[in-house]
Amino acid sequence: MFYALYLVGILGYILSGIGRSPMDFIDRITGIYILAPCILVLLCTKSFSAFGRSFLMAFGKKGASQEQYEESLQTVRMVMFTALLSGGLCFLIGTINSWRSLSIGPRLEEGMVWLLLDTIVAMLSLFYPLLLCLLLLPLPFLLDKQLLLLKAGNGQGGDGSGLQDDDRSGTDGRPQGSDRPQDKGRPGDSRPLNDGSKPQSDDVQPLQCAVVHDLLSAYIQGKTSQETDADIQAHLEDCGSCRDLYRDMRSNALNRTAPH
């Protein structure tokens, strides 16, 4: 809808600038020389359908895949680039031929008049591709915007699955309902502490370690609550440095309580 309003506005803008002599801006041969390379490049790349699809997308058609958006976007850019190249080439060819036909002699003044007229006609080779690019200008931006929205939608879908996976796990990354080892490893307890074969977690925060350091003494003496015991044990399973500190403190406590 908005692209249709843009086309109407641009055509009105161009016609108001041309004035009452639109026929002066129409040259069939020049138009053929500009459009022929664009058609040939579409044939060569088999992109006619992608080019036509770009207009449908600009007018609000939905349901295209990411690959189709990308193909249409590249096709529109290719046509605009081809039109500019062919227009510049036609302008140079027309200008060079006009200068080469200029004869030096008594008819030089008449030749200059014809040269001026030929130059004006040659400038149509620049007018047509610029007009074409101006009409197609919103298409790359509209397609690129839709492509970004499509990629963002796909990304959110991927993030959603990750959140569902997190919901099935506890806050510490373990599946809900899984049994934590009840090995406290306190003095007098014959069961050994976790041997550290479990990989150390990368999300252990320094503040957590500091809290555990403050609680280790009370934990070894059995003065902490069961909930605190479970949290400390879970931290010791993940954090190698705290586990080593715990073993040292436990060993020292055992040595102090051992009979002499």
Side-chain angles (χ1 to χ4, degrees):
M1 180 62 182
F2 292 103
Y3 182 60
L5 295 176
Y6 171 82
L7 292 178
V8 173
I10 287 296
L11 291 176
Y13 168 76
I14 296 297
L15 291 176
S16 65
I18 291 176
R20 298 181 179 180
S21 56
M23 297 303 297
D24 294 340
F25 290 83
I26 297 177
D27 187 77
R28 180 174 57 86
I29 297 178
T30 303
I32 292 175
Y33 273 98
I34 299 300
L35 293 178
C38 297
I39 296 175
L40 289 175
V41 76
L42 289 175
L43 284 173
C44 179
T45 58
K46 299 180 181 180
S47 302
F48 266 109
S49 59
F51 185 67
R53 193 188 308 120
S54 63
F55 289 94
L56 297 178
M57 295 174 178
F59 282 107
K61 181 182 177 181
K62 304 293 184 180
S65 63
Q66 179 176 333
E67 291 75 12
Q68 289 176 330
Y69 276 109
E70 292 176 348
E71 183 184 9
S72 297
L73 177 61
Q74 296 299 326
T75 301
V76 172
R77 290 174 175 172
M78 178 181 64
V79 170
M80 296 173 65
F81 187 67
T82 303
L84 290 174
L85 283 180
S86 58
L89 186 61
C90 289
F91 175 77
L92 292 176
I93 292 175
T95 304
I96 292 173
N97 288 334
S98 298
W99 279 97
R100 287 171 64 89
S101 62
L102 182 63
S103 59
I104 300 177
R107 303 182 61 182
L108 177 61
E109 183 176 349
E110 181 181 353
M112 291 297 296
V113 174
W114 283 107
L115 176 62
L116 179 61
L117 294 175
D118 289 342
T119 303
I120 294 175
V121 175
M123 292 180 68
L124 291 176
S125 301
L126 300 178
F127 173 75
Y128 287 162
L130 290 176
L131 177 60
L132 179 62
C133 289
L134 187 61
L135 295 176
L136 298 179
L137 184 62
L139 289 182
F141 294 95
L142 292 173
L143 294 174
D144 194 40
K145 180 180 179 181
Q146 293 297 327
L147 185 60
L148 290 176
L149 292 175
L150 184 61
K151 290 181 178 179
N154 293 337
Q156 290 177 356
D159 292 341
S161 63
L163 290 176
Q164 292 176 359
D165 292 340
D166 289 342
D167 291 339
R168 291 191 294 267
S169 301
T171 57
D172 58 357
R174 296 182 179 84
Q176 291 180 349
S178 62
D179 295 332
R180 290 178 177 173
Q182 298 300 318
D183 176 18
K184 301 301 181 182
R186 290 179 175 169
D189 195 342
S190 60
R191 290 173 295 179
L193 183 67
N194 190 305
D195 60 358
S197 59
K198 182 175 180 178
Q200 182 176 344
S201 174
D202 293 334
D203 57 356
V204 177
Q205 301 296 327
L207 180 60
Q208 294 177 339
C209 293
V211 174
V212 171
H213 293 175
D214 294 338
L215 294 174
L216 277 180
S217 179
Y219 171 72
I220 294 173
Q221 298 174 19
K223 297 179 179 180
T224 51
S225 65
Q226 293 184 354
E227 182 180 357
T228 303
D229 291 348
D231 292 336
I232 294 176
Q233 179 65 22
H235 182 87
L236 293 178
E237 292 177 355
D238 291 337
C239 182
S241 61
C242 289
R243 186 165 55 247
D244 292 339
L245 177 62
Y246 164 75
R247 286 172 175 167
D248 293 339
M249 294 178 64
R250 178 171 173 255
S251 177
N252 293 334
L254 290 174
N255 291 334
R256 288 196 301 268
T257 59
H260 297 285

